[in-house]
Amino acid sequence: MDLTGADLSGADLRRANLIDANLSGANLNSADLTFANLAGADLTGVDLDFADLTGADLTFANLTDARLGYADLIDANLTDATLTGVDLTDAKLYGATLTDVKGLKR
């Protein structure tokens, strides 16, 4: 699925199946992605500020240069995700799985 540069700000994408989707450069500011499946998705440069990603599956997702300021990532699965250059300012990561994450400065 190619959603490159799409404006999905504020969209209700709860439980959406976005496996391997190309969302690079998309605007998902304040979107509800609760329990969405974004495994393997290309989220390069995506605006996810204030997005709700509670319980989302982001395994193997590429989040290079994504903005996740104030995003809710509670219980999200980020196993093997690429987080190089990601802005996580005030993001909620309680219970998030960060196993084998690439590019995250700890």
Side-chain angles (χ1 to χ4, degrees):
M1 178 180 313
D2 188 359
L3 295 167
T4 303
D7 184 0
L8 298 167
S9 57
D12 183 351
L13 297 167
R14 289 176 286 182
R15 300 190 183 279
N17 181 359
L18 297 166
I19 296 172
D20 295 325
N22 184 352
L23 290 151
S24 60
N27 181 359
L28 288 159
N29 187 295
S30 300
D32 187 350
L33 290 150
T34 306
F35 297 107
N37 190 342
L38 293 151
D42 184 356
L43 299 164
T44 304
V46 169
D47 180 355
L48 284 160
D49 287 338
F50 299 97
D52 189 348
L53 291 147
T54 300
D57 184 353
L58 292 154
T59 54
F60 293 99
N62 182 358
L63 290 139
T64 300
D65 297 326
R67 293 182 6 215
L68 287 154
Y70 301 91
D72 190 342
L73 291 152
I74 295 171
D75 296 325
N77 186 352
L78 292 142
T79 301
D80 289 306
T82 301
L83 301 176
T84 305
V86 170
D87 177 4
L88 288 166
T89 302
D90 291 319
K92 296 178 191 114
L93 292 161
Y94 313 111
T97 304
L98 299 168
T99 307
D100 296 325
V101 168
K102 296 154 199 70
L104 183 63
K105 294 180 184 177
R106 297 181 192 192

